[in-house]
Amino acid sequence: MVLVRSCGPWGAGVVGGEVITRGGDGATLTTTHGTHHAPARPVPVVDVIGAGDAFVAGYLSGTLDGLTAEQRLHRATTTAAFAVATRGDWEGLPTRTDLPLLDTPAGTTLR
């Protein structure tokens, strides 16, 4: 479980809320504006080391980019999916240009 509470100079309107991660069952964000759930991304799991750190990195980068609650959760679950699909704790982390790759239809030619 990862818990992200409102803190720092951003204030409750930007970072506020609590995030609960549930591994393969996704994650839930609860704020004063409501509750949002994001399912886990369906990827083959190779190694779970670093998945929580990757989730938090995705969530915080989404916060710094000014994304909505749903978009932050989507980015966080996407970043964690990249992490678990590769052996190692950081080797599979995506770049910003990699993030949309998990949203492409199955069988899509990427290059």
Side-chain angles (χ1 to χ4, degrees):
M1 175 172 61
V2 175
L3 184 65
V4 179
R5 292 187 184 253
S6 176
C7 60
W10 303 288
V14 177
V15 181
E18 296 179 352
V19 177
I20 299 173
T21 61
R22 295 185 177 89
D25 292 326
T28 302
L29 168 64
T30 301
T31 70
T32 57
H33 302 291
T35 299
H36 310 280
H37 179 76
R41 305 301 301 261
V43 297
V45 176
V46 175
D47 185 354
V48 297
I49 300 296
D53 294 336
F55 180 94
V56 171
Y59 185 87
L60 292 177
S61 76
T63 299
L64 293 173
D65 285 349
L67 301 182
T68 66
E70 293 90 349
Q71 291 168 327
R72 291 191 309 259
L73 278 180
H74 181 75
R75 181 175 291 180
T77 56
T78 299
T79 305
F82 273 99
V84 301
T86 306
R87 189 161 311 284
D89 57 353
W90 61 268
E91 291 82 353
L93 292 179
T95 64
R96 287 183 186 277
T97 56
D98 293 333
L99 290 171
L101 294 177
L102 292 182
D103 293 323
T104 58
T108 300
T109 302
L110 300 175
R111 323 190 243 172

